[in-house]
Amino acid sequence: MFQISLTSKDDATAKYIKIMLVENANRAGINLKVTDIPVNDVEILNDATHPTVNIDGTIISKGNRENIDFFRDVNAAILKAHNYGNMKKIIVPIDFSACSQNALEYAKALAKGLNGVIKLVFIYDNAASIHAEQDSLDNEFIQNFEKRLNHLAAAENENLDPNDWQATRIEYEFGIGNVPNEIVRIARANEDAIIVMGSQGQSGLEAILFGSVTTTVIERSKQPVIIIPPTITYEKLDNLVYCSNEVDLDKKLIFTVLDIVKRSKPHVHILHIDKDKRDYLPIEIMQLARFNYPSQKVSYDVVFGSDVHELIKIYCNEKQIDMIALSKRDRGFFEGLFHKSFAKELKRNLRIPLLVVHEA
């Protein structure tokens, strides 16, 4: 149990604050207890007329602010003290390109459905310096990128819904090093994380070259990766297709997929594309999906043919699919979906968000 203290001259106000704080902590799986401290017992407050919270020695006073700003500050402190509890951590690599900004917009909408918290990540790649002017590696140059990241996060937090006091602030992390390696490292350091990133980046000096970086992140990450095409905007997730090819593997990975999408409650289509007309029995996968996804619709389809990319495109159009999910290990689907060069075709052919799940 996590205990904080609250001081307020008004008992009704104190009761309301406690209810709101405990409710939000519970949403993150944090068992919070709020202890009342009489105003007369508090000597450290400059102004005891305002509600004040003590979180592990950190004093947060309402002052003359609106209630919603006070609640957000207190909630942020409680959540950070517990690494956001069981909230889904959504890692969003950013390079300030339109595509990565679009991925951020998608992640923000996704976070609401997942009860998630977003961490913006910018990695300055030292290798890029060979294309820059001689002074590009000085501290001022690198600090400019960090300032841009700071300003972006601040702007996003200033634009939170003024009527939603539970809206979680966006965090950020700046780093220097190999871009995909650092993205994967940060994701691993955040338990239960998802990486949401664009399929392509800037041109010129600021390029992260998301096509190739995305490919490398998918190859190296143990966390799920969601790839967002440049023109896609978030809409309600009504239909998801999971491309199934290996029964034993898919029996494990279907849990990961369902855990990510269960709050959105889409119709889950399990699709097998049969290129050689071999026996493929999905009964166990269907049973697992239906048992762990009760009251929601799960269906199964077999499509025969060899042109995987074309068959998936047709299926997605017919079923109005909002997201494609598949296993990283399933090279046949990758090659069929994006032909031979994944990094290049990722930019050209991906028209629907792609969720890539990984074997633990």
Side-chain angles (χ1 to χ4, degrees), residues 22-23 59 75 93 148 184 235 249 262 282 286 290 350:
V22 170
E23 174 188 324
I59 307 298
N75 281 327
R148 289 184 69 180
V184 170
E235 296 181 3
L249 176 64
K262 63 186 178 183
M286 290 292 294
R290 287 173 174 164
L350 186 61

Side-chain angles (χ1 to χ4, degrees), residues 42-243:
V42 180
E43 299 178 353
I44 61 174
L45 298 180
N46 294 324
D47 186 355
T49 62
H50 299 294
T52 303
V53 171
N54 185 329
I55 303 175
D56 287 340
T58 299
I59 307 298
I60 303 176
S61 178
K62 178 182 178 298
N64 294 316
R65 295 178 295 166
E66 296 292 332
N67 283 337
I68 192 168
D69 294 326
F70 173 61
F71 286 143
R72 280 179 176 164
D73 280 352
V74 176
N75 281 327
I78 292 170
L79 292 173
K80 288 187 73 171
H82 284 76
N83 192 27
Y84 294 91
N86 61 14
M87 295 178 71
K88 190 74 71 175
K89 285 74 174 178
I90 303 175
I91 310 300
V92 183
I94 197 89
D95 71 341
F96 309 110
S97 66
C99 187
S100 66
Q101 294 273 6
N102 186 58
L104 172 58
E105 293 303 312
Y106 191 97
K108 284 158 54 179
L110 184 67
K112 292 181 180 179
L114 292 178
N115 186 29
V117 56
I118 292 174
K119 174 178 280 190
L120 286 176
V121 172
F122 178 88
I123 307 299
Y124 179 81
D125 191 349
N126 278 338
S129 65
I130 62 174
H131 304 296
E133 296 179 1
Q134 186 173 355
D135 64 348
S136 65
L137 280 179
D138 65 21
N139 290 334
E140 183 179 354
F141 182 83
I142 295 175
Q143 287 170 3
N144 284 337
F145 285 105
E146 189 168 9
K147 288 178 182 177
R148 289 184 69 180
L149 182 62
N150 181 297
H151 291 160
L152 176 59
E156 291 291 338
N157 288 326
E158 287 176 5
N159 289 326
L160 292 173
D161 185 348
N163 299 312
D164 182 8
W165 71 273
Q166 292 179 321
T168 305
R169 287 194 176 98
I170 290 175
E171 293 203 352
Y172 70 92
E173 183 167 342
F174 178 86
I176 301 174
N178 178 275
V179 177
N181 285 351
E182 286 300 296
I183 292 171
V184 170
R185 179 191 62 78
I186 291 169
R188 285 178 179 170
N190 289 268
E191 187 179 354
D192 198 25
I194 303 172
I195 301 171
V196 177
M197 60 192 304
S199 59
Q200 52 189 283
Q202 282 275 30
S203 60
L205 175 61
E206 296 180 9
I208 290 182
L209 303 176
F210 265 36
S212 58
V213 168
T214 299
T215 309
T216 307
V217 168
I218 288 174
E219 291 293 339
R220 297 177 184 175
S221 175
K222 295 295 184 182
Q223 282 75 26
V225 181
I226 301 178
I227 310 304
I228 310 301
T231 59
I232 292 296
T233 56
Y234 183 89
E235 296 181 3
K236 187 176 181 297
L237 186 57
D238 291 322
N239 290 280
L240 175 140
V241 59
Y242 178 73
C243 299

Side-chain angles (χ1 to χ4, degrees), residues 155-341:
E156 291 291 338
N157 288 326
E158 287 176 5
N159 289 326
L160 292 173
D161 185 348
N163 299 312
D164 182 8
W165 71 273
Q166 292 179 321
T168 305
R169 287 194 176 98
I170 290 175
E171 293 203 352
Y172 70 92
E173 183 167 342
F174 178 86
I176 301 174
N178 178 275
V179 177
N181 285 351
E182 286 300 296
I183 292 171
V184 170
R185 179 191 62 78
I186 291 169
R188 285 178 179 170
N190 289 268
E191 187 179 354
D192 198 25
I194 303 172
I195 301 171
V196 177
M197 60 192 304
S199 59
Q200 52 189 283
Q202 282 275 30
S203 60
L205 175 61
E206 296 180 9
I208 290 182
L209 303 176
F210 265 36
S212 58
V213 168
T214 299
T215 309
T216 307
V217 168
I218 288 174
E219 291 293 339
R220 297 177 184 175
S221 175
K222 295 295 184 182
Q223 282 75 26
V225 181
I226 301 178
I227 310 304
I228 310 301
T231 59
I232 292 296
T233 56
Y234 183 89
E235 296 181 3
K236 187 176 181 297
L237 186 57
D238 291 322
N239 290 280
L240 175 140
V241 59
Y242 178 73
C243 299
S244 177
N245 199 35
E246 300 180 34
V247 173
D248 289 339
L249 176 64
D250 296 332
K251 281 162 54 180
K252 301 175 185 176
L253 297 183
I254 195 67
F255 290 104
T256 303
V257 174
L258 295 178
D259 180 61
I260 292 171
V261 304
K262 63 186 178 183
R263 287 177 179 265
S264 300
K265 300 180 179 179
H267 178 166
V268 175
H269 304 259
I270 298 175
L271 171 67
H272 174 63
I273 295 180
D274 196 329
K275 295 186 287 186
D276 50 17
K277 297 186 178 180
R278 61 185 175 90
D279 292 334
Y280 183 82
L281 301 176
I283 297 174
E284 290 181 272
I285 300 173
M286 290 292 294
Q287 288 175 337
L288 286 171
R290 287 173 174 164
F291 180 79
N292 290 278
Y293 197 53
S295 76
Q296 302 305 319
K297 192 169 183 181
V298 180
S299 60
Y300 176 77
D301 290 300
V302 178
V303 177
F304 295 94
S306 58
D307 191 339
V308 177
H309 171 252
E310 186 64 23
L311 292 172
I312 290 179
K313 185 168 69 174
I314 292 171
Y315 186 89
C316 289
N317 287 336
E318 288 180 351
K319 303 294 184 179
Q320 297 183 315
I321 298 297
D322 303 302
M323 182 177 287
I324 301 170
L326 71 166
S327 162
K328 175 187 74 173
R329 201 171 82 179
D330 196 340
R331 298 304 303 173
F333 270 107
F334 271 127
E335 292 166 3
L337 188 58
F338 301 113
H339 301 300
K340 294 181 180 179
S341 177

